[in-house]
Amino acid sequence: MLLESMKSRRSIRRYTQQDLPGELLEELLEVASRASNTGNMQLYSVIVNRDRASRERQAPLHFNQPMVTEAPALLTFCADAHRFVKWAEQRQAQAGFNNLQTFLAATIDALLFAQAFCDAAEARGLGICFLGTTAYHADQIIEALALPPLVVPVVSLTVGYPAEPLPAQPERLPLAAVIHRETYRDYTPEAIDTLYRAKEELEANRQYVAENQKETLAQVFTDIRYTKKNNEYFSEVFLKVLKQQGFLS
């Protein structure tokens, strides 16, 4: 049942007005807390925003995507070493967690927790949508959610009951594009052409290229969606966040 659900999954950006029961949300979070994590330290936290006013205040930080306010809940998953460090201090232990290694471990923990939550939510008929905007405005989200040192937001998601009609399932590259046997196999020009052909030939993607007045789909990604200028700017913002929150000296 879970495999079938995962095979048909899609990001849900439109939700019904049906409320998300608090007991169901708690159950899903409990299930998600069973996900694998680093050394069983659970270096993560999640901020659950169900109050509409709170979600409306955060909407600009997610580029005012409608689902932030329309979904009954917004969850922000954080890399969190703060709680563990406080526990260590209260137990006469000194945790050396103010470093990049700990941030990476905590980020992995938070993402495993988030994905486990999504799998559980979709198995119960709910829809979710990951928000990549969290890392862009991490500094402002930290302020909005009152996050203490050694806590950094890494991803957010909306959750609720999907509205009809459901969106089409997005395309994926063939498995040959991402699976390597024993060692990494580099890509020849011919392999790149083969692996990306179906994606590039989709009518929706052809239209996407035409609407943006570009020659190739790759140019839409590099020149419009994820530009070098924006990537460098948000990289600087995030590095400042890591220093501000104590993960980098």
Side-chain angles (χ1 to χ4, degrees):
M1 183 68 178
L2 178 58
L3 284 178
E4 291 305 315
S5 174
M6 293 176 71
K7 285 180 181 179
S8 62
R9 77 155 309 279
R10 63 208 70 194
S11 294
I12 300 299
R13 295 177 171 82
R14 295 182 61 248
Y15 300 89
T16 69
Q17 295 300 304
Q18 183 177 351
D19 187 33
L20 177 59
E23 317 84 71
L24 175 58
L25 185 56
E26 290 296 315
E27 178 188 4
L28 298 175
L29 290 168
E30 166 62 26
V31 169
S33 74
R34 299 297 170 179
S36 299
N37 66 88
T38 305
N40 201 24
M41 293 184 289
Q42 293 183 267
L43 300 175
Y44 58 75
S45 288
V46 57
I47 314 299
V48 179
N49 289 119
R50 303 187 69 189
D51 179 69
R52 184 178 179 88
S54 177
R55 287 181 283 115
E56 287 177 345
R57 286 194 296 271
Q58 291 183 66
L61 307 182
H62 295 290
F63 300 153
N64 289 309
Q65 296 177 85
M67 62 271 197
V68 173
T69 52
E70 292 175 2
L74 170 68
L75 279 62
T76 303
F77 294 84
C78 304
D80 181 358
H82 179 77
R83 181 187 63 252
F84 191 96
V85 168
K86 294 196 77 168
W87 173 61
E89 290 173 346
Q90 289 183 211
R91 296 297 184 269
Q92 296 76 52
Q94 185 174 355
F97 284 2
N98 56 336
N99 47 63
L100 182 60
Q101 171 59 36
T102 302
F103 173 71
L104 291 175
T107 297
I108 292 169
D109 284 4
L111 293 176
L112 288 170
F113 179 46
Q115 185 57 58
F117 174 86
C118 292
D119 292 341
E122 290 174 330
R124 293 296 295 269
L126 296 168
I128 63 94
C129 184
F130 274 103
L131 304 175
T133 43
T134 304
Y136 296 159
H137 293 142
D139 54 342
Q140 297 176 65
I141 292 174
I142 286 170
E143 182 178 357
L145 300 180
L147 303 183
L150 295 180
V151 181
V152 172
V154 292
V155 72
S156 302
L157 60 86
T158 54
V159 58
Y161 291 96
E164 300 289 349
L166 293 177
Q169 191 175 32
E171 85 280 355
R172 290 291 189 265
L173 293 174
L175 275 183
V178 298
I179 303 297
H180 300 261
R181 310 293 180 185
E182 310 305 334
T183 60
Y184 194 96
R185 177 200 69 253
D186 206 352
Y187 302 95
T188 64
E190 294 76 17
I192 292 293
D193 287 342
T194 299
L195 295 171
Y196 281 87
R197 182 172 295 120
K199 185 183 188 78
E200 293 174 327
E201 291 181 351
L202 278 177
E203 182 57 34
N205 285 338
R206 286 179 177 274
Q207 184 177 348
Y208 197 27
V209 173
E211 289 173 351
N212 286 282
Q213 299 180 325
K214 292 295 177 180
E215 296 177 359
T216 69
L217 182 62
Q219 289 175 351
V220 177
F221 281 86
T222 62
D223 299 355
I224 296 176
R225 295 193 64 188
Y226 304 101
T227 67
K228 175 180 172 63
K229 180 180 178 181
N230 282 346
N231 287 340
E232 290 178 345
Y233 170 75
F234 289 121
S235 293
E236 290 179 6
V237 170
F238 204 77
L239 282 173
K240 289 179 181 177
V241 162
L242 293 183
K243 291 178 181 178
Q244 166 196 312
Q245 295 302 96
F247 281 113
L248 288 180
S249 59

